[in-house]
Amino acid sequence: MRIWILVLLLLSYVQAACAGMKLEAEYPYHLERQGVHTVFEESTVPLYVNIVNFNNPTPVEAEIKITLPQGFMPVTEGTADKWQVQKEQDKIIATTRWSLPEDYGQTFDLLYIESQEAVDFGEKQVLVEASSGEWQESKLLTFTYEAEQAAAATIGKGKPKVDRKKFNWYIQSITFPVDSLGLKDDRAEAGVIYVRDTSLEGFRNRMTGEGATSWSSVFNHPAAHLLLELRNPQSDVRVLKFKAELVDKVTGEVKPGLCTAGKVDDDAEQGWHGNEEEGSETTALISLDGNKAPRFILPLYIDHLKILEGEYNLRITISGNGQEKRYEAPVTIAKKHSIGLLAVGFAFACLVLVIAFSYKIKNCIYIIGAKGAITVALFAAIAFGGITLPTTILGDLLHVFLGPFSGLVTGLLHGVLQYLLIVSLLVLYRTPGVLSLMFVVKFMLSCLMFGHFSPLGVLSCCVSMVVLEATLYFGGFYKHTHSKENFMLLMCVLLGLADAFITFINLEQMMFFYRLYYADWYLALYMVINGLLYSSIGSWLGNKTGLKLRQVMGE
Amino acid sequence: MSVRQLWEGTDAAPWIQKLNGRTKLIVLFLFAILTITIDNPRSLFVLFSLTLLLHVAAGTSIYKWKVLAVLLLLGLWGSMFSQALFFAQSTRTPLFVLIESNAGFLGALTGGLYVYREGILYGAVQGLRSASMMSLGLLVCWTSDPRQLLQALLAWRLSPQIAFMLVTAIRFLPVLAAETGEVITALQLRSDSHSGRTAIIRHLPYIAKPLLARCLRRAQTLALSVVSRGFFLASANRQAAMWDWREKFCCITLTLVVAVIVSSKISYLLSEQGLYFGVLRQAYDWTKLYL
Amino acid sequence: MMMLRIEDLSYRYLSRHKFTLKKINLQLAQGEMLLLAGRSGCGKSTLIKAISGLLNNNDKGELVGKIYLENEDITNFSPEKIGILVGTVYQSPDDQLFAMTVADEVGFALENQGLEPDYIKEQVSETLRLVGLAGFENYSIHQLSGGQRQRLALASILITKPRLLILDEPVSQMNPQGVQDFLNLLLKLNREEKIAILMVEHRVNELAGYFQRLAVMQAGRIIYDGATENAWSILDGKEDVGLREPQNVKLCRVLELSELSSLHQKVVKLIQNECRLLERAQAVCKSCCAPETRMVEVKNLHYKYPGATKETLHGLDFELCQKQITALMGFNGAGKSTLMNLLGGLAKVEEGKVLLAGEPIQKGLGKIGYLRQEPDLMLLADTVLEELCWKNKSITRDEAEALLVKLNLQDYARDFPLALSKGQRLRVVLGAMLAKKPQLLLLDEPTTGQDEQSLTEIKQLLLDYKNSGGCVFICTHDVELATEVADRVILLSQGEILADAPTEVVLSNRGLLNAGGLTASSLLDVCEEIRVPPCITAEEVKHYVSSSTVGRH
């Protein structure tokens, strides 16, 4: 143990000894084209400044000073609060102060620099100086200032000369969520961003000893991607700044929830612009390359601690060259609860309930007597022979022709016939547990005759038993010995709804256990037709049949 | 071969016929857990092949092989068909367009319905799960008398009354089937048209009442019969068939193996969520490769 | 020692105002056999339930009086406890067997008593031997014949060694040969095991010879309890008790003999003493089928089931005519049902010809009414009236109402058909057939389990239909029914026609009867004794016996 403490102490000394800062700067800065040192006539190109700090025990202040050559001016519109510009002799100097985070951090920004009209062509220099306490570092960046023709030659020949001040690129559309390739996913509803359920994160962090504050792996994973389509009619070549914020639909006030990845630690993706300010936005740099209809797939990052579910507007701001374009689209923030997992959890809860109440099923046999028990067994046999048997054999055959929609045909048996049998049996023996008894016998029959002995089968059977018994019990079915027609009609609809719910749970379980995909509309279709419609009709027919069969019951 | 013969395990190899019902049901259940635990296509295929090998070892007759083949192929096809339509991973390549996304109401409802090439393959792989379970399930049924399995359930303290109900249901299944056939015949005979004599589907709504009424009368008679024979005394002292220690040992071993596999899978899934333990690294690797 | 003593037993179902059983007093000695008869609904089944302890639950009704078994009051015993002392066998063997194998079924009662498996196994084998099913332990229930199932049902209750055996219409669905075998088994049990037997049955005509004592119930009371032989005279004139009399008794009645007896020796003596035999028989001639009345023509009909190696029917040739009832008789498996299905259009004619009114039968399926063995499974509608009009555009409302009257169901027009009594249910189905005004009426064992009154009503309906120009083809084991309604009998054996002749010719020929698995009418014995040509009905005998009698009181 002592050795470990010694090692740790040594390590901390080593870290302190290695603490330091490093300045990085590049001008002109291009996202795609590194190492280009030419600035064309009358263009606006960003200067990239980055300070990497490591092993700082506390946050420190750093001062950055940029000295521009004559005829070059920083564009400070929108960033005036960050950069102060002053003129010293014939040079322009831009200064700012950054707060560098403790331990490790990369603090960076872009300063757009615009060339004036009457500047001589030739080699120029930008001096970038940074200092913090005793540390000082400077970079002298050399570039060539060239005429427009040369730019035309690199981008596209024969273009007319345009007034760059009037470049009017604009936002055509935004689509979200899309996948990382920009494709829309059928399963994902448009305009909805699902936030991952992070309720286990605290537990995870504590278990792995990272403490409750280590969220980097969560934060640096995009919650959704957004497809941004711009129109660039004048084929501008420029780096633009992208900003996405959540704003209140009524007040237009910016709401917390979005964030930018890679502000701390070493896991920031290269090229993404982190903002050291406490912002509620996802920012990024995008590069216009002269294409008239550029498309960008941009990740949106979520601040899992701050985001709240609800309806917002997603405000997209693109800025650069002194221009700013905005676009707003409604967005729904929904927490992604793992429905499949919840469905399975519910099914397990049903299993526990069935086990807990199993003694009641035995009591039920004593209440309904031998005749009742035999009737239930025979009804279950009919259910097995009339539902399980044909759906196992014919269901597969129907699959050949109808595919996943074959269930709508076999559902006639699962819905109409099954509920006809259930309700007619309940009309004959209005006792809690009768329905469960029938399900138990039917399930065991399919287990013994078909080998359908699987966890999914057990869970599905339990779900049906619990949901239907609960519906009947809380619906007041067992309170009376006879029911009026209106009440039975209501009961049938309730059973239909209950079956829709059972259908949903079972399909979710299927998806979970068998890793299958079903579209939401497909689930809805089955719930409405197989669940609500067929089962309600079956229940009603069952009520009618049961009333008739009562006359056959004898004394 | 009649349908009843199909469900009687008289033509199977003696070794599998003699296996205790408990062994068969445990293996079946554990196998079902395995198939839903495993994701790796190769491992799934190995499991599926294993069930087919068991069929070979059990001496499944040619007729039953044919039935098995039809059921398995249909099942696989079903899975492939559904996943071809609903496959939702990228990348995916549409082979056919069934409904355009801009095709009116259906298009708006479904967001377009396409047959994706990758979905077919995915469905085939995922279909191996249900195919494996069906294959083993049928093997168990084809090599066991329902009584053998029932004895297993009784050995696991199934209530004698429920066991009675189950036996009654099995006993009357063929009778009910024959009576259903009789009602359909009656419907054909009483139809007023030629088409009415041949269209079975048209008759389905009328089958329930006569059949259920017959059940109620039968229940009356049978209840009288069994009550006078002491149905509710239920002190049944049914002696379960001996469970061979070797079978028991195999079941315990298999249970442990499955428990390890499931634990490994769960820990792997948790690690994906961030709950990662360094010491389990090898288990994670193994799970990733084979499960 | 008195085995069973019932004292002033009355019972009322909660749903009814009147008592179903009214002050029943009945005694049964050890080793005694009693036949309990009475029409449907007279309270026989309720009495059995009361003895079996199924009615002493106050929830269901009101029970007054006492039941003693071996002088012990069992009125309030549970059914399970009584079940050990009293064994009950019910009407349909198929409905009272629940297990999958013979051994499981027989051992069930002992298993419920918690006895050791080895002991149970031993007892099962012994009981099966007793009922003639030794070695059947591991057979599936489905592999047994109807008669074997009835024996199994008997074995399943004999295993508890009951002192009293109650049988509720055990032979109502058996063929004549099966009835004889089963009753012989009962006699053996009675003699060897000294078991007292109480049997409830409509078919008194076939059972009278086996039971010394007969009790008759009517409207919840026992109106007769005494020697079977004396019952006929005492109950003479009481048509509504619903007894199906033995043919010998009918003969005594027709010949107006001084006594009514079922014993053929006694009947012979009475005839010899009281009647004068004629030297020449009076003409007995039945109308033969004229070509213009030909309805069905069957030519060289062969049939083989798909996959079968042997033919079921081998080249049948016969005709069915209008205004004629033809009975199809023969052993089980002779091909009767196959022939009925071919005529009913349920099976396709592969080889040979079957013509209905000159046209292939498949074209005239709408003109055929086919009543199958399980009439309950042919009831489809919610009311009796709807049932008559179900998928039948040819019947008017007035005709349906008239038919209801004819069927004696006018009071049940709005009732649920499946909730009616057995006889009424059969009449509803028959009515639905007749409502379609068929040219050919096919009936498969229509009288199974029917009581005397119901039988009479059905016979009348058939005769009415025949007289209105109908053609009837009945498949039956019931020799008496064939004798009374059929003009002609086709006897089928192993897929071939053994005989096709007027009823009196076929059913009076002992050789043919034996070959066809039929029981000879007791009248044949009488005829042989008094040396007149064989007759099958009492009316026929009368043709050979002068009405001027000697020694008539």
Side-chain angles (χ1 to χ4, degrees), chain A residues 36-347:
Chain A
V36 176
H37 300 292
T38 309
V39 173
F40 294 107
E41 178 188 5
E42 292 179 27
S43 65
T44 306
V45 187
L47 165 71
Y48 168 73
V49 186
N50 180 24
I51 297 177
V52 182
N53 66 291
F54 41 91
N55 295 335
N56 286 6
T58 52
V60 292
E61 290 283 309
E63 188 177 312
I64 295 96
K65 180 180 170 190
I66 294 167
T67 310
L68 299 175
Q70 193 182 14
F72 287 81
M73 281 291 291
V75 180
T76 53
E77 280 176 56
T79 57
D81 53 335
K82 292 181 192 168
W83 292 91
Q84 288 79 49
V85 181
Q86 59 198 74
K87 200 169 182 180
E88 278 183 17
Q89 298 168 346
D90 54 346
K91 290 184 174 173
I92 302 293
I93 294 172
T95 54
T96 189
R97 291 184 76 82
W98 288 349
S99 174
L100 309 180
E102 60 179 14
D103 295 331
Y104 175 83
Q106 285 197 60
T107 313
F108 51 94
D109 198 5
L110 292 178
L111 179 66
Y112 283 86
I113 297 168
E114 188 180 31
S115 61
Q116 307 294 306
E117 278 179 28
V119 179
D120 297 336
F121 300 123
E123 202 170 84
K124 313 271 178 193
Q125 285 178 324
V126 176
L127 178 65
V128 182
E129 294 163 280
S131 60
S132 172
E134 291 179 6
W135 171 74
Q136 265 194 335
E137 196 174 340
S138 64
K139 297 265 180 195
L140 188 63
L141 307 171
T142 307
F143 64 95
T144 315
Y145 185 61
E146 285 183 5
E148 165 65 16
Q149 286 79 355
T154 55
I155 299 164
K157 284 181 180 175
K159 286 193 174 179
K161 186 167 179 175
V162 289
D163 180 359
R164 292 186 187 279
K165 302 254 185 204
K166 294 178 184 170
F167 275 129
N168 66 344
W169 41 262
Y170 57 91
I171 301 171
Q172 173 67 20
S173 68
I174 57 169
T175 311
F176 65 93
V178 292
D179 61 16
S180 56
L181 295 166
L183 295 170
K184 195 180 173 314
D185 191 333
D186 284 343
R187 290 173 303 167
E189 206 177 326
V192 179
I193 295 175
Y194 281 99
V195 182
R196 185 179 141 189
D197 192 349
T198 54
S199 46
L200 281 174
E201 288 306 316
F203 174 69
R204 178 194 76 88
N205 292 338
R206 278 192 294 279
M207 293 294 284
T208 52
E210 290 180 30
T213 53
S214 178
W215 288 87
S216 57
S217 67
V218 177
F219 277 66
N220 289 331
H221 194 273
H225 286 85
L226 173 145
L227 176 67
L228 171 69
E229 290 189 66
L230 294 185
R231 288 294 177 267
N232 180 18
Q234 287 161 293
S235 300
D236 191 10
V237 179
R238 185 178 301 282
V239 174
L240 301 174
K241 191 171 173 183
F242 163 88
K243 183 168 76 174
E245 297 161 304
L246 289 179
V247 294
D248 191 287
K249 272 194 158 177
V250 183
T251 62
E253 187 189 337
V254 176
K255 292 285 180 187
L258 295 186
C259 67
T260 301
K263 280 200 287 189
V264 289
D265 285 347
D266 199 16
D267 47 14
E269 290 172 47
Q270 196 174 0
W272 297 108
H273 166 65
N275 194 336
E276 72 272 29
E277 305 290 334
E278 279 292 317
S280 297
E281 65 215 22
T282 296
T283 56
L285 290 180
I286 55 175
S287 173
L288 296 180
D289 61 358
N291 187 341
K292 288 190 174 179
R295 287 155 56 95
F296 304 93
I297 302 150
L298 297 158
L300 290 175
Y301 295 92
I302 296 285
D303 187 334
H304 291 268
L305 300 175
K306 291 182 183 165
I307 196 151
L308 295 173
E309 284 182 275
E311 303 282 332
Y312 299 90
N313 274 350
L314 180 68
R315 177 186 293 163
I316 304 297
T317 311
I318 309 289
S319 56
N321 193 27
Q323 295 183 59
E324 189 173 271
K325 300 286 161 65
R326 279 189 177 179
Y327 189 97
E328 288 196 9
V331 61
T332 305
I333 300 293
K335 291 258 184 182
K336 188 173 189 174
H337 305 290
S338 182
I339 295 177
L341 200 62
L342 280 178
V344 175
F346 178 79

Side-chain angles (χ1 to χ4, degrees), chain B residues 32-54:
Chain B
I33 292 176
L34 270 187
T35 53
I36 57 178
T37 306
I38 291 173
D39 278 311
N40 187 295
R42 271 170 301 180
S43 302
L44 277 176
F45 187 74
V46 167
L47 279 185
F48 175 63
S49 307
L50 192 67
T51 65
L52 297 184
L53 281 176
L54 283 172

Side-chain angles (χ1 to χ4, degrees), chain A residues 361 433-441 461 465-466 469:
Chain A
I361 292 183
V434 165
L435 179 145
S436 300
L437 210 50
M438 181 175 153
F439 271 99
V440 167
V441 178
C461 181
M465 283 159 68
V466 170
E469 285 285 6

Side-chain angles (χ1 to χ4, degrees), chain A residues 8 90 116 121 164 183 202 325 375 430 444 487 499 530:
Chain A
L8 283 173
D90 54 346
Q116 307 294 306
F121 300 123
R164 292 186 187 279
L183 295 170
K325 300 286 161 65
T375 307
R430 203 181 262 246
M444 286 188 165
F487 176 79
D499 190 62
N530 273 19

Side-chain angles (χ1 to χ4, degrees), chain A residues 179 187 204 208 366 370-371 373-375 377 396 399-400 403 444-445 448-451 514-515 517 521-522, chain B residues 7 36-37 39 74 77-78 81 83 86 88-90 110 122 126 129 133 141 149 158 165 219-220 227 232 274:
Chain A
D179 61 16
R187 290 173 303 167
R204 178 194 76 88
T208 52
Y366 283 92
K371 187 179 168 186
I374 294 162
T375 307
D396 277 347
H399 243 123
V400 174
M444 286 188 165
L445 275 177
L448 298 187
M449 306 298 285
F450 270 128
Y514 296 159
R515 323 309 189 257
Y517 295 108
W521 61 263
Y522 178 77
Chain B
W7 255 256
I36 57 178
T37 306
D39 278 311
L74 289 176
W77 168 253
F81 201 155
Q83 294 312 290
F86 298 126
Q89 283 179 7
S90 59
T110 58
Y122 183 82
Q126 301 308 319
R129 292 177 210 280
M133 279 195 269
C141 294
L149 303 180
L158 177 77
M165 290 170 71
Q220 171 82 25
V227 167
F232 279 110

